[in-house]
């Protein structure tokens, strides 16, 4: 009889001890209350950290190897594993910062709206005058000069902080990052809505996966659109923090065929599929406070309060963090260990796409751990790697 080509694998324990103390304590405290798999709790916390720090720093692995610290995280878990609760614990710092900044700039937005309304009224008046004269074959040089002068007086835009996205299509997400706040995240406890969006249909998936890959790489791509203005996507940052039920993930992979693996999209994700804790979660009353989670949240807020550096075009110019000599030596050992496993008969031969990204993801994690503890400056210590 034919034997199955796949076999179930026992989940490995989540390496919680590898997390820096501030993050580790918050994850343990939250997990003790929620009683969800540790991996789900940790993925929610890591997504918040990635979103808060990704606009501040890049990590340099070597002279020619520097790039973003953004993480793409995917946790696979059945319904009832309390995925939403995990996100709810770590997202308030992000949501509160976003809403607080929006309130702070409300007067600037109101003033800009008023100035824009006046600008558009003046523009409409000049255009009407040009149309009126042209119908009578009259000279419009004076009005055209006024229109040119007015264009230079257009009110400047106000940067509106927008961190969180849930069900935006990849193209809409890319446009929002390219024309608005340059750092954002798709955080969703129901990733089926993300994978099942119409932007992930078979006809458009190749283009959209390319967009998402460019965002992970921190590269540049021109997006040409027929019915809307085209735009350039350059030096923007995106975090994915997704939790998906197995059926939703399988449906996406079956519908998309070989593209998610073939384009390297799935390989960019840190994926966790932990053992269920259902059946072991005796009732526990909600704690009056979670001090470790609150300390972590305050640190996330402090990172978000750190101003982003941009160039004249509004593109991010993050600080570049280097690995310390000891950390770089450890990173090289990891890189070479994985590389040996990619060859014929190696441990990673069947998962070359994922394994080939492992050393870069390790550098990204180390940089995030460093920023969490020391801020966007200094060299990354070997302990963080």
């Amino acid at each position: 009889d034919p034997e199955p080509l796949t076999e179930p694998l026992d989940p490995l324990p989540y390496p919680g001890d590898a997390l820096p103390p501030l993050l580790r304590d918050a994850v343990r405290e939250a997990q003790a209350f929620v009683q969800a798999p540790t991996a789900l709790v940790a993925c929610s916390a890591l997504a918040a950290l990635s979103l808060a720090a990704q606009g501040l720093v890049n990590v340099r692995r070597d002279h020619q190897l520097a790039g973003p610290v953004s993480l793409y995280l995917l946790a696979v878990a059945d319904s009832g594993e309390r995925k939403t609760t995990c996100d709810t614990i770590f997202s308030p710092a992000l949501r509160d910062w976003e809403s607080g900044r929006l309130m702070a700039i409300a007067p600037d937005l109101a003033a800009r709206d008023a100035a824009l309304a006046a600008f558009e009224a003046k523009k409409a008046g000049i255009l009407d005058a040009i149309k009126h004269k042209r119908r009578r074959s009259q000279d419009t040089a004076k009005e055209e000069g006024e229109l040119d002068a007015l264009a230079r007086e257009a009110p400047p835009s106000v940067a509106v902080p927008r961190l969180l996205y849930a069900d935006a299509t990849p193209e809409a997400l890319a446009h929002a990052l390219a024309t608005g706040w340059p750092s954002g995240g798709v955080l969703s406890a129901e990733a089926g809505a993300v994978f099942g969006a119409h932007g992930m249909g078979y006809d458009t998936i190749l283009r959209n996966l390319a967009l998402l890959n460019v965002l992970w790489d921190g590269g540049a791509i021109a997006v040409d659109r027929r019915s809307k203005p085209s735009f350039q996507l350059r030096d923007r940052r995106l975090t994915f923090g997704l939790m998906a039920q197995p059926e939703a993930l399988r449906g996406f992979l079956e519908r998309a065929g070989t593209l998610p693996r073939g384009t390297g999209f799935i390989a960019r994700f840190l994926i966790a599929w932990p053992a269920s804790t259902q059946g072991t979660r005796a009732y526990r009353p909600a704690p009056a406070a979670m001090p470790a989670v609150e300390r972590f949240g305050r640190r996330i807020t402090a990172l978000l309060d750190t101003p982003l550096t941009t160039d004249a075009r509004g593109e991010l110019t993050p600080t570049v963090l280097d690995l310390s000599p000891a950390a770089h030596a450890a990173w090289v050992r990891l890189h070479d260990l994985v590389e040996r496993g990619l060859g014929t008969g190696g441990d990673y031969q069947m998962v070359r796409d994922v394994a080939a990204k492992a050393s870069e993801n390790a550098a990204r994690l180390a940089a995030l751990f460093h920023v969490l503890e020391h801020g966007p400056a200094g060299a990354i210590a070997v302990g963080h790697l």
Side-chain angles (χ1 to χ4, degrees):
D1 293 331
E3 295 183 0
L5 296 177
T6 61
E7 60 178 324
L9 298 176
D10 292 330
L12 298 172
Y14 192 85
D17 290 341
L19 302 175
L22 182 62
L23 179 55
R24 181 180 65 234
D25 293 346
V27 168
R28 287 177 175 173
E29 185 177 73
Q31 197 280 331
F33 164 57
V34 180
Q35 302 182 74
T38 301
L40 300 190
V41 184
C43 283
S44 293
L46 284 170
L49 174 58
S50 174
L51 181 50
Q54 65 183 358
L56 300 176
V57 299
N58 284 346
V59 60
R60 181 157 47 204
R61 300 159 342 256
D62 214 327
H63 294 299
Q64 302 299 324
L65 297 175
V69 299
S70 308
L71 300 180
Y72 281 14
L73 298 145
L74 173 62
V76 185
D78 289 315
S79 176
E81 293 292 355
R82 300 177 176 172
K83 301 186 293 292
T84 302
T85 307
C86 294
D87 261 2
T88 301
I89 289 176
F90 291 105
S91 62
L94 304 170
R95 299 185 186 282
D96 291 347
W97 184 87
E98 189 179 64
S99 60
R101 286 296 302 272
L102 189 59
M103 290 179 61
I105 66 172
D108 295 333
L109 287 174
R112 200 260 176 179
D113 288 344
L116 185 61
F119 171 82
E120 293 294 344
K122 292 177 182 178
K123 181 179 177 181
I126 296 173
L127 290 174
D128 285 343
I130 291 175
K131 293 176 183 177
H132 181 78
K133 283 192 170 184
R134 283 184 174 172
R135 282 196 295 267
R136 289 165 174 74
S137 300
Q138 297 175 348
D139 181 50
T140 60
K142 175 177 176 294
E143 287 77 13
E144 290 173 10
E146 292 175 351
L147 187 62
D148 183 62
L150 182 65
R152 292 191 291 270
E153 299 174 5
S157 61
V158 177
V160 179
R162 172 78 187 274
L163 293 177
L164 299 170
Y165 300 85
D167 57 359
T169 65
E171 184 177 296
L173 175 64
H175 182 264
L177 292 173
T179 59
W181 198 252
S183 174
V186 179
L187 308 187
S188 176
E190 297 297 337
V194 177
F195 290 139
H198 69 268
M200 287 295 192
Y202 187 80
D203 294 338
T204 58
I205 192 169
L206 182 59
R207 180 179 72 249
N208 287 331
L209 293 186
L211 279 175
L212 299 176
N213 285 350
V214 166
L215 283 166
W216 189 85
D217 296 335
I221 189 172
V223 181
D224 298 316
R225 305 194 295 184
R226 287 177 296 180
S227 58
K228 298 179 181 178
S230 301
F231 60 91
Q232 287 273 346
L233 186 67
R234 185 193 303 271
D235 288 324
R236 294 321 197 242
R237 296 294 181 265
L238 175 67
T239 289
F240 262 122
L242 303 179
M243 298 187 186
Q245 295 183 23
E247 294 76 14
L249 180 60
R250 288 193 187 99
F252 166 68
L253 295 175
E254 290 172 358
R255 185 174 67 254
T258 61
L259 291 178
R261 291 289 297 272
T263 60
F265 177 65
I266 291 295
R268 286 166 166 78
F269 278 83
L270 294 169
I271 303 174
W273 193 330
S276 174
T277 58
Q278 295 189 55
T280 66
R281 306 170 301 184
Y283 174 77
R284 293 178 186 175
M290 289 194 284
V293 171
E294 292 169 4
R295 285 194 298 272
F296 178 74
R298 288 194 294 271
R299 183 60 181 147
I300 294 299
T301 300
L303 292 175
L304 291 170
D305 283 338
T306 305
L308 299 177
T309 57
T310 57
D311 60 17
R313 295 179 295 185
E315 296 167 0
L316 287 169
T317 56
T319 299
V320 179
L321 299 182
D322 287 299
L323 300 170
S324 68
H328 185 262
W331 181 84
V332 170
R333 288 195 297 272
L334 169 64
H335 175 277
D336 291 349
L337 174 69
V338 173
E339 184 65 24
R340 288 192 296 271
L342 300 181
T344 302
D347 290 341
Y348 310 129
Q349 179 186 357
M350 301 304 295
V351 288
R352 285 174 172 170
D353 54 337
V354 177
K357 300 291 185 186
S359 58
E360 182 169 355
N361 267 321
R364 293 182 181 220
L365 282 165
L368 291 173
F369 294 167
H370 172 91
V371 172
L372 179 66
E373 293 198 330
H374 304 295
I380 300 168
V382 66
H384 288 134
L385 191 80

